[in-house]
Amino acid sequence: MVFSMSFRKSTISAFNMVQKGFRPLVLCGPSGTGKSTLIKKLFDELPDSFGFSISHTTRKPRAGEQNGKEYYFTDKEEMQSQIDRGQFLESATYSGNMYGTSKRAVEDVQRAGKVCVLDIDVQGVKQIKKTITLDPLYVFVKPPSISELEKRLRERNTETEESLQLRLKAAQEEIEYGEQPGNFHLVIENDNVEKAYKKLRDFVVSEIERQKGLGASTKCRFIQFIYAEQLI
Ligand code: 5GP
């Protein structure tokens, strides 16, 4: 029996889902667009379904941030040596600081049977797209405009003038990439947090339902596949 490549691909990806759980969710978008607020709302509403991939960063903690909650705060030497030892899925330099997702951060969430949520920048998205390890859903959150983003960043009062300018520069490039058709499964303009959250929630919940259905039906197809390929 001959199976098409797409059958093989979908069967293998369904098998991964059965093995590793649901597809992770990547939230990307310029600093200050409100990703953290959207993620917090998702966790508040569905705490048993989602878990946060806690990134490492070399930037200093902001007031109220705790090590091991928002980030693992580290230094450049330590982080670079962990990257060199292959412990990271992706890493990037953003506004002069290093950020990265360790393999462990994602595994911790997946082991708990939850959908892993990653808050990463465009450089991280591009690296993850080159691998088959995660196969996540990609959501881009964009501000209504750069001037609105600048206003929000200034109101947040967490940046120096220099780091604010770096973030605005990065934002322009990120929006360009985010708006290119095909780069993300969903693009949300965050002009109103309740509306933006509803879009995110509806997308994620329907995707989980779809994957549940796919998982059940493709367990059978996977068994057909391994017999046909005489893998057992
Ligand atoms: P912030 O300093 O405002 O917390 O984050 C700055 C930017 O770094 C945000 O756009 C955020 O999405 C991104 N970021 C946070 N963690 C990671 C990570 O692990 N990898 C990458 N590539 N970007 C990250």
Side-chain angles (χ1 to χ4, degrees), residues 213-232:
L214 186 71
S217 70
T218 47
K219 263 185 202 166
C220 297
R221 289 166 67 198
F222 180 68
I223 290 163
Q224 285 175 341
F225 169 73
I226 50 182
Y227 272 110
E229 297 288 308
Q230 299 186 331
L231 298 177
I232 56 170

Side-chain angles (χ1 to χ4, degrees), residues 29 35 55 59 62 71 90 92 99-101 119-121 124 167:
K35 284 168 295 171
S55 295
R59 86 149 160 73
R62 294 181 187 133
Y71 284 106
E90 60 78 32
Y99 295 82
T101 308
D119 172 348
I120 60 174
D121 80 333
R167 281 170 191 253

Side-chain angles (χ1 to χ4, degrees), residues 181-194:
N183 282 346
F184 288 85
H185 293 108
L186 177 71
V187 177
I188 301 174
E189 183 175 316
N190 190 6
D191 52 354
N192 170 298
V193 74
E194 293 308 328

Side-chain angles (χ1 to χ4, degrees), residues 94-122:
Y94 186 97
S95 184
N97 294 302
M98 288 168 77
Y99 295 82
T101 308
S102 70
K103 292 177 180 168
R104 174 82 191 271
V106 174
E107 282 163 12
D108 283 349
V109 177
Q110 290 186 326
R111 217 174 292 120
K114 296 183 176 186
V115 177
C116 183
V117 181
L118 291 85
D119 172 348
I120 60 174
D121 80 333
V122 162

Side-chain angles (χ1 to χ4, degrees), residues 25 39 43 46-54 105-106 109-110 112-118:
L25 174 69
I39 291 173
F43 289 157
L46 302 160
D48 299 332
S49 305
F50 297 93
F52 188 53
S53 157
I54 304 168
V106 174
V109 177
Q110 290 186 326
K114 296 183 176 186
V115 177
C116 183
V117 181
L118 291 85

